[in-house]
């Protein structure tokens, strides 16, 4: 592996709009994201399972899969 062509690897600090920060490896020194696992509805438990079930039932009814 040639050393001159490889990008530098940093311990990057990731900052979310909600204020959450964590460290990961990246070729950039800092990363800004709009949504993270702490504020995403799926990971924080705020997503409604009933809403997803309703969409699945409508799809199945529309295409005659039930």
């Amino acid at each position: 592996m040639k050393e001159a062509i490889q990008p530098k690897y940093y311990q990057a600090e990731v900052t979310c709009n909600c204020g959450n920060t964590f460290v990961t490896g990246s070729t950039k020194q800092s990363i800004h994201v709009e949504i993270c696992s702490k504020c995403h509805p799926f990971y924080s438990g705020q997503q409604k399972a009933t809403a997803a079930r309703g969409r699945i039932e409508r799809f199945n009814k529309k295409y005659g899969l039930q």
Side-chain angles (χ1 to χ4, degrees):
M1 210 163 68
K2 293 182 180 180
E3 293 292 325
I5 63 171
Q6 301 299 321
K8 291 192 183 275
Y9 194 71
Y10 302 102
Q11 292 294 318
E13 182 174 340
V14 180
T15 306
C16 180
N17 281 346
C18 70
N20 186 30
T21 61
F22 56 93
V23 177
T24 189
S26 177
T27 56
K28 295 184 175 184
Q29 289 184 338
S30 65
I31 303 170
H32 182 78
V33 294
E34 293 179 9
I35 195 160
C36 66
S37 61
K38 195 163 212 160
C39 60
H40 192 281
F42 180 78
Y43 295 111
S44 64
Q46 296 173 354
Q47 183 179 17
K48 302 292 183 197
T50 56
R53 267 189 245 119
R55 289 190 298 262
I56 294 168
E57 289 172 3
R58 281 189 304 225
F59 176 84
N60 289 338
K61 183 187 263 186
K62 181 177 180 179
Y63 293 104
L65 299 175
Q66 285 187 347

